[in-house]
Amino acid sequence: MWLLRLLAVILVIAIGVGLLAYAFTGNRNYLVLAGRLFRYGILFALLIFALMFVERLAIIPV
């Protein structure tokens, strides 16, 4: 779990750096990079949450 939290912090920092780089330079490539990082981060988080949900369902006895 600590690895996922570390990756989330690194992702937030990377998105912030991309937005700051766009603000200072005006180069849209940095904004596109931040958007892609955000999109893939949300996708990865949803995948992890889905796996955790399936794991919970597998533990519940029927």
Side-chain angles (χ1 to χ4, degrees):
M1 214 48 188
W2 64 270
L3 181 62
L4 292 176
R5 289 183 184 143
L6 179 65
L7 287 174
V9 169
I10 291 171
L11 178 68
V12 169
I13 291 171
I15 290 171
V17 167
L19 292 175
L20 281 175
Y22 170 71
F24 285 124
T25 64
N27 189 352
R28 280 190 68 81
N29 289 334
Y30 295 119
L31 189 62
V32 170
L33 175 66
R36 284 186 184 164
L37 285 173
F38 180 74
R39 190 176 334 146
Y40 290 132
I42 293 295
L43 183 67
F44 182 73
L46 289 174
L47 178 68
I48 293 298
F49 291 143
L51 288 173
M52 290 171 64
F53 181 72
V54 168
E55 179 185 16
R56 289 283 180 175
L57 286 178
I59 292 174
I60 298 173
V62 178

